[in-house]
């Protein structure tokens, strides 16, 4: 064999080795962490020995040789919290954890707001490790069903379950906790320019009629050139969750809901049409591009002084304080008055879970316990004060009484945000919060298993319904009929595929 | 003697196959396996999250071919591709011709013209979204206040009549540099004696372009058209990030529809079926282009 061939063969071996290495599974293949095993149980007082099937957590530690460089265990932490302050606090907490656990490092991975679910699905398909993950509530039941998440009962036991608000601990049908809320978000609050309201001789609105009147009055051509310079309200009619999160407030406050506690469609009740009409009427006082708005477009419009009122969570106030403190001083947050039948708004939680295929499940859970104890969660919530709603009442008190500069300066606004959030429900995990017969608001943990198909599609069903009216000029009743027919079809298809399903609510 | 040569030939063949192995393995892993997975998935109903699958045969294709949304998205993909590639082609040739002139600072201009191609799509779309805004955007400011071309701001991305046009502008802006690079490289290899001969014969600038430059560019034009057609038809990030497929599907092209079907409706099987239909269209387009390319090469060599 000549030298050229020998060299070529060497190159070939190197190339094949590289391919083999890149295709190989990660070191220490993911372990099955929960197993159903048969166990011999001696029942006290009975002579017979029973063999029972019990769920056991089995953890197989990887060998030292399979660990990363220097024997360090790396746990990815996938989140969509991308505010620079939040990222800085995360990094601080990760360092503190590593100081106490020198063999473990937490690796921050930031995902887009809407693509965390896709990442989880992709990672599960290829066996990648995701470690600790932020999970969208609407996908939670599908994730549990698919086995992507690990039971966290031991973590909850360690940090204390009693202190959490309703739906802050997400359970599967098997009763195990799979996700723990670290922060909530409220969509039923509205920021209003008090200076502009005062100029128009108006008070911050407390009823829908006052809101409509204010939105009309504040839509103004200030320089007299025939073009509107400031719009009364920024209300999105875009394709994504930013629209349906705002619409849900109108739905709830007009005694409507999507499904009742048993999973029967109630979106076809006449009061829902009233909610639709109210939303559409307000959009007439909104900028012309709201049909393309997502989450941050309204915030930007408010910050640039182009809209006078905008339903948004606490982040708007924090951003405004940085961008324009004078405008912030003239801005107040109130509960969005979208109807008078019941006091209820859209408010949901963001959750942390542990990916079932993670390489170091015990360390991941240990980190969760670390994150939820001490002052760490409070420090995180204070990175965007008032926007990140604490999952426990004690923590809310801690934040309100903290010496944080923003909280001290705008304590009333932060209190309002927390108060409004306490009248909130997320329809994806609190199905049937509003009794459409009595208008009673009674949110309980009751996941809507088909919520992903209703709220994750693009456009979401209620966003498409609103766009049909606003963009296409379709009759509201026709668009609403299309929407509830579509919701019913999706729910019926899911129920047909899962005939044994029973709602979690009693 | 014969045995030795046969043995040598076999050894040589084995060696050749061994050398081909890495490329072949990569081809299987990165092209053939995903393609076959998508192909087989298109015959199943697959829930994206739970991965539960049911054999449905041709139902996904039947449903798609009867779906108004699919045909509308297909139509938008054609508009996006044909208009986008045509404008990119014309602008690409024009800018390449300009940059091929002996002008001062052309090296700087050549660098600047590449800029849009280098900017990540997420950054470019964010900036363009701001620029298109009817509230604070510079485009409306110029059209209304500076040039007085229109009376009131246009909601470019929020109006179904203008949304695809707005997205097209960004697509053209972003991908023209690719055309410019290709054409400029080709122009720099043009035999200058052809122009000298044309000048002696009294040819005008237009005749020089029409009878020398354009035929010389023809094979490159066909390659550029083929590549840009494939890429534009498959383009996802600019169309999705600019308008998320809306308002009301006005910018939903086939790749956006695939994303929405797979991750919005959790129907991976139907999303795979759309991708298979897209592949069929692209195969047909590629076939036509490649035939023209062969002809152009033959004409040029003659």
């Amino acid at each position: 064999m000549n030298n050229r061939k020998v060299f070529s063969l060497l190159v070939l071996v190197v190339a094949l080795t590289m391919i083999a290495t890149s295709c190989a599974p990660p070191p220490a293949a993911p372990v099955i962490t929960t197993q159903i095993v048969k166990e011999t149980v001696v029942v006290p007082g009975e002579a017979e020995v029973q063999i029972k099937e019990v769920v056991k957590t089995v953890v197989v530690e990887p060998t030292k040789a399979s660990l990363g460089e220097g024997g360090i265990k790396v746990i990815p932490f996938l989140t969509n919290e991308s505010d620079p302050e939040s990222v800085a606090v995360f990094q601080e907490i990760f360092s503190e954890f590593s100081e106490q656990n020198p063999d473990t490092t937490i690796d921050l991975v930031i995902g887009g707001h809407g693509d965390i679910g896709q990442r989880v699905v992709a990672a599960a398909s290829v066996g990648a490790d995701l470690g600790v993950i932020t999970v969208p509530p609407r996908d939670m039941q599908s994730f549990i069903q698919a086995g992507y998440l690990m039971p966290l009962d031991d973590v909850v036991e360690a940090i204390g379950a009693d202190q959490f608000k309703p739906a802050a601990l997400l359970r599967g049908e098997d009763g195990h906790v799979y996700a723990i809320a670290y922060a909530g978000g409220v969509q039923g609050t509205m920021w209003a320019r008090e200076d502009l309201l005062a100029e128009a001789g108006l008070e911050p609105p407390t009823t829908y009629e006052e809101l409509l009147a204010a939105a009309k009055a504040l839509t103004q051509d200030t320089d007299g050139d025939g073009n509107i310079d400031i719009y009364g309200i920024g209300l999105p009619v875009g394709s994504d969750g930013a629209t349906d999160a705002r619409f849900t407030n109108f739905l709830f406050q007009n005694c409507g809901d999507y499904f009742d506690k048993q999973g029967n469609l109630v979106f076809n009740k006449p009061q829902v049409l009233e909610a639709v009409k109210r939303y559409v009427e307000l959009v007439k006082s909104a900028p012309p591009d709201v049909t393309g708005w997502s989450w941050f477009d309204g915030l930007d419009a408010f910050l640039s002084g182009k809209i006078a009122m905008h339903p948004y969570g606490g982040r708007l106030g924090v951003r405004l304080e940085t961008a324009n403190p004078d405008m912030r001083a003239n801005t107040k947050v109130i509960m969005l008055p979208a109807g008078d039948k019941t006091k209820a708004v859209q408010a949901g939680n963001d959750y942390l879970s542990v990916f079932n295929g993670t390489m170091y499940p015990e360390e991941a859970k240990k980190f969760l316990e670390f994150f939820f104890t001490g002052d760490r969660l409070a420090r995180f919530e204070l990175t965007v004060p008032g926007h990140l709603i604490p999952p426990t009442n004690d923590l809310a008190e801690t934040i309100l009484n903290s010496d944080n500069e923003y909280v001290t300066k705008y304590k009333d606004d932060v209190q309002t945000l927390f108060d409004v959030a306490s009248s909130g429900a997320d329809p994806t995990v609190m199905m049937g919060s509003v009794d459409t017969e009595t208008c009673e608001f009674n949110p309980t943990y009751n996941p809507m298993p088909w919520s992903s198909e209703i709220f994750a599609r693009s456009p979401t069903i209620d966003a498409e319904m609103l766009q049909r009216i606003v963009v296409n000029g379709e009759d509201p009743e026709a668009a609403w009929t299309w929407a509830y027919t579509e919701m019913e079809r999706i729910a019926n298809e899911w129920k047909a595929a899962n005939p044994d399903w029973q709602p979690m609510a009693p | 003697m014969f045995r030795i040569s046969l043995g040598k030939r076999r050894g040589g063949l084995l060696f050749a196959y061994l050398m081909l192995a890495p490329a072949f393995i990569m081809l299987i892993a990165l092209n053939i396996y995903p393609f076959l997975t998508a192909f087989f998935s298109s015959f199943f109903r697959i829930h994206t999250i739970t991965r539960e699958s049911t054999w449905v045969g041709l139902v996904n294709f039947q449903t798609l071919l009867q779906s108004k949304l699919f045909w509308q998205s297909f139509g938008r993909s054609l508009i996006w591709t044909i208009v986008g590639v045509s404008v990119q082609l014309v602008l690409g040739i024009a800018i390449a011709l300009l940059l091929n002139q002996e002008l001062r600072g052309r090296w700087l201009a050549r660098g600047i013209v590449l800029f849009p191609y280098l900017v990540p799509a997420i950054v470019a779309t964010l900036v363009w979204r701001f620029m298109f805004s009817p509230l604070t955007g510079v485009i409306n400011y110029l059209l209304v206040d500076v040039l007085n071309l229109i009376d009131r701001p246009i909601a470019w991305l929020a109006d179904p009549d203008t949304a695809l046009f707005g997205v097209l502008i960004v697509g053209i802006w972003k991908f023209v540099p690719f055309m410019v690079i290709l054409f400029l490289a080709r122009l720099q290899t043009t035999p200058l004696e052809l122009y000298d001969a044309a000048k002696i014969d009294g040819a005008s600038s237009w005749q020089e372009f029409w009878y020398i430059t354009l035929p010389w560019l023809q094979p490159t034009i066909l390659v550029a058209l083929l590549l840009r057609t494939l890429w534009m038809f498959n383009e996802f990030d600019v169309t999705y990030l600019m308008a998320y497929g809306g308002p009301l599907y006005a910018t939903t092209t086939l790749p956006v529809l695939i994303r929405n079907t797979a991750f919005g409706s959790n129907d991976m099987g139907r999303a795979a079926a759309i991708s298979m239909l897209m592949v069929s269209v692209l195969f047909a387009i590629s076939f036509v282009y490649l035939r023209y390319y062969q002809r152009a090469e033959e004409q040029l060599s003659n």
Side-chain angles (χ1 to χ4, degrees):
Chain A
M1 202 179 272
N2 59 31
N3 286 342
R4 206 171 144 192
K5 278 197 171 178
V6 172
F7 178 72
S8 302
L9 274 173
L10 272 173
V11 171
L12 177 72
V13 169
V14 171
L16 287 173
T17 310
M18 283 169 69
I19 293 170
T21 311
S22 61
C23 294
V31 284
I32 298 169
T33 49
T34 53
Q35 287 182 345
I36 296 172
V37 293
K38 290 190 173 175
E39 211 172 56
T40 308
V41 180
V42 180
V43 181
E46 287 184 24
E48 282 184 23
V49 172
Q50 291 184 356
I51 296 176
K52 273 190 171 180
E53 282 192 342
V54 293
V55 178
K56 269 205 153 183
T57 303
V58 181
V59 180
V60 182
E61 282 292 329
T63 60
K64 195 78 178 169
S66 70
L67 297 176
E69 205 176 322
I72 298 290
K73 298 169 184 171
V74 180
I75 300 169
F77 184 95
L78 176 61
T79 178
N80 51 19
E81 302 290 352
S82 56
D83 285 280
E85 296 81 6
S86 303
V87 170
V89 168
F90 272 142
Q91 299 287 17
E92 271 176 35
I93 295 170
F94 296 166
S95 300
E96 290 163 20
F97 181 75
S98 291
E99 272 173 29
Q100 289 185 20
N101 303 273
D103 63 341
T104 310
T105 298
I106 313 293
D107 186 19
L108 185 69
V109 183
I110 295 178
H113 213 78
D115 68 356
I116 294 265
Q118 294 166 37
R119 282 205 186 202
V120 172
V121 173
S125 306
V126 299
D129 188 359
L130 285 181
V132 178
I133 48 175
T134 305
V135 181
R138 63 171 184 241
D139 292 333
M140 192 65 74
Q141 291 306 312
S142 302
F143 279 14
I144 294 170
Q145 200 183 340
Y148 295 158
L149 308 178
M150 184 178 287
L152 300 174
D153 305 66
D154 41 355
V155 178
V156 173
E157 198 176 322
I159 60 180
D162 300 339
Q163 53 172 327
F164 284 93
K165 293 177 186 173
L169 301 175
L170 287 193
R171 293 176 191 277
E173 287 177 14
D174 56 6
H176 293 292
V177 174
Y178 286 91
I180 306 168
Y182 65 94
V186 59
Q187 303 303 330
T189 46
M190 186 178 74
W191 295 87
R193 289 276 300 275
E194 285 183 299
D195 52 342
L196 298 177
L197 284 165
E199 276 175 27
L202 299 167
E203 290 289 318
T206 55
T207 64
Y208 173 78
E209 288 71 24
E210 286 176 14
L211 175 65
L212 186 62
K216 284 179 181 170
L218 296 178
T219 302
Q220 294 169 353
D221 171 13
T222 53
D223 57 11
D225 68 350
N227 288 324
I228 294 167
D229 300 294
I230 184 161
Y231 290 86
I233 190 165
L235 208 51
V237 193
S239 300
D240 63 8
T243 297
D244 60 60
R246 274 46 174 264
F247 173 71
T248 303
N249 299 299
F250 288 74
L251 186 64
F252 284 172
Q253 291 183 32
N254 288 284
C255 193
D257 205 331
Y258 296 93
F259 293 88
D260 68 12
K261 284 199 190 299
Q262 300 308 306
N264 304 307
L265 183 86
V266 288
F267 200 78
N268 53 357
K269 300 274 182 186
Q271 57 264 43
V272 177
L273 180 58
E274 180 61 24
V276 173
K277 286 178 178 171
R278 287 185 162 200
Y279 196 96
V280 172
E281 190 60 29
L282 268 175
V283 171
K284 290 175 184 167
S285 301
D289 63 338
V290 288
T291 47
W293 275 15
S294 184
W295 289 100
F296 290 110
D297 297 286
L299 192 150
D300 292 334
F302 196 96
L303 261 56
S304 59
K306 294 290 181 183
I307 53 175
M309 298 184 289
H310 182 51
Y312 205 94
R315 176 174 280 121
L316 192 149
V318 178
R319 286 269 183 94
L320 193 56
E321 175 68 0
T322 311
N324 191 339
D326 292 339
M327 195 196 286
R328 176 66 185 90
N330 290 311
T331 302
K332 181 186 169 76
V333 68
I334 56 172
M335 182 171 173
L336 171 69
D340 53 6
K341 300 288 192 299
T342 183
K343 188 191 169 193
V345 298
Q346 206 282 356
N349 287 313
D350 291 315
Y351 297 87
L352 286 174
S353 297
V354 175
F355 185 58
N356 206 10
T358 192
M359 208 179 294
Y360 307 109
E362 287 311 298
E363 284 73 11
K365 289 203 264 184
K366 194 175 176 184
F367 172 73
L368 268 191
E369 191 182 322
F370 181 79
F371 183 69
F372 279 99
T373 50
D375 67 345
R376 289 169 279 273
L377 193 53
R379 275 158 57 200
F380 171 73
E381 316 285 27
L382 281 168
T383 58
V384 196
H387 185 78
L388 301 166
I389 310 286
T392 71
N393 291 324
D394 288 350
L395 199 54
E397 278 303 308
T398 306
I399 286 167
L400 282 168
N401 295 322
S402 76
D403 58 0
N404 177 282
E405 197 182 334
Y406 180 87
V407 176
T408 314
K409 194 171 175 184
Y410 295 109
K411 191 169 181 176
D412 288 350
D413 282 344
V414 177
Q415 180 78 61
T416 303
L417 286 157
F418 288 179
D419 288 347
V420 175
S422 66
S423 303
D426 177 349
T428 66
V429 289
M430 293 168 157
M431 185 170 63
S433 293
V434 174
D435 184 323
T436 53
E437 298 301 323
T438 63
C439 300
E440 187 192 348
F441 181 61
N442 178 25
T444 52
Y445 178 57
N446 188 27
M448 184 197 297
W450 50 88
S451 62
S452 186
E453 281 78 3
I454 288 180
F455 296 106
R457 79 196 279 279
S458 182
T460 64
I461 292 179
D462 30 13
E464 179 166 346
M465 170 187 71
L466 295 166
Q467 286 194 337
R468 281 170 175 242
I469 302 165
V470 176
V471 176
N472 273 6
E474 208 170 293
D475 173 49
E477 191 166 350
W480 165 63
T481 305
W482 167 84
Y484 72 68
T485 308
E486 190 70 358
M487 286 182 193
E488 192 165 39
R489 179 189 64 76
I490 289 168
N492 287 345
E493 279 181 11
W494 191 92
K495 287 173 191 170
N498 299 273
D500 299 331
W501 171 78
Q502 289 294 323
M504 282 198 194
Chain B
M1 189 76 172
F2 176 74
R3 273 186 192 168
I4 291 168
S5 64
L6 197 65
K8 267 191 172 178
R9 257 181 77 185
R10 277 184 184 160
L13 267 177
L14 183 68
F15 185 72
Y17 285 133
L18 273 173
M19 288 296 114
L20 281 174
F24 192 62
I25 291 169
M26 296 294 272
L27 192 71
I28 290 173
L30 300 178
N31 287 36
I32 296 172
Y33 173 73
F35 178 81
L36 289 178
T37 305
F39 176 72
F40 288 116
S41 297
S42 66
F43 300 106
F44 288 83
R45 183 180 179 129
I46 304 170
H47 191 280
T48 306
I49 297 175
T50 61
R51 295 270 154 187
E52 283 171 5
S53 62
T54 319
W55 168 264
V56 291
L58 293 170
V59 167
N60 284 330
F61 292 96
Q62 275 177 336
T63 313
L64 283 173
L65 295 175
Q66 291 165 2
S67 158
K68 202 172 150 189
L69 180 60
F70 171 77
W71 287 111
Q72 286 172 340
S73 305
F74 181 65
R76 271 180 228 112
S77 279
L78 287 181
I79 294 171
W80 160 258
T81 306
I82 294 169
V83 177
V85 173
S86 307
V87 178
Q88 285 169 38
L89 179 73
V90 174
L91 285 177
I93 292 175
I95 297 170
L97 284 171
L98 190 68
L99 293 177
N100 199 39
Q101 302 298 312
E102 292 289 337
L103 299 171
R104 279 183 68 184
R106 69 173 175 166
W107 295 108
L108 181 67
R110 282 178 186 178
I112 291 171
V113 90
L114 279 177
F115 182 70
Y117 201 58
L118 304 178
V119 178
I122 181 70
V123 178
T125 50
L126 271 176
V127 172
W128 276 97
R129 274 178 69 87
F130 273 119
M131 285 166 56
F132 275 129
S133 166
L135 299 178
T136 52
V138 69
I139 293 174
N140 277 307
Y141 171 72
L142 287 173
L143 293 174
V144 178
D145 296 324
V146 179
L147 301 172
N148 293 316
L149 290 176
I150 50 175
D151 291 337
R152 57 192 59 220
I154 296 172
W156 293 95
L157 301 174
D159 183 339
D161 295 334
T162 54
L164 190 58
F165 179 66
V167 177
L168 257 170
I169 288 175
V170 182
I172 291 165
W173 170 83
K174 180 137 181 62
F175 300 116
V176 158
F178 177 79
M179 294 281 203
V180 175
I181 300 167
L182 284 188
F183 296 142
L184 194 56
R186 181 72 175 175
L187 283 173
Q188 286 172 351
T189 64
T190 317
L192 295 175
E193 58 269 24
L194 293 177
Y195 291 106
D196 294 338
K199 278 196 178 76
I200 290 166
D201 290 344
S204 65
S205 297
W206 171 251
Q207 284 170 323
E208 281 182 15
F209 171 75
W210 192 253
Y211 293 108
I212 300 172
T213 310
L214 206 56
W216 185 254
L217 282 177
Q218 201 181 356
T220 312
I221 290 174
L222 285 169
V223 170
L225 281 179
L226 174 63
L227 292 175
R228 283 299 331 146
T229 303
L230 297 179
W231 293 343
M232 283 293 275
F233 203 72
N234 284 326
E235 174 64 27
F236 170 76
D237 47 7
V238 169
T239 43
Y240 185 72
L241 293 169
M242 279 301 289
Y244 311 106
L248 214 58
Y249 305 107
T251 55
T252 298
T253 53
L254 287 178
V256 176
L257 184 66
I258 291 175
R259 183 260 166 216
N260 290 347
T261 308
F263 296 107
S265 305
N266 285 328
D267 195 341
M268 194 57 93
R270 194 172 299 172
I274 304 172
S275 68
M276 285 300 110
L277 292 173
M278 274 183 73
V279 167
S280 325
V281 173
L282 291 175
F283 263 129
I285 293 170
S286 306
F287 181 74
V288 173
Y289 271 131
L290 288 173
R291 285 203 63 173
Y292 272 105
Y293 179 76
Q294 271 179 335
R295 265 193 223 165
E297 283 279 277
E298 281 166 14
Q299 280 173 2
L300 207 63
S301 59
N302 289 337

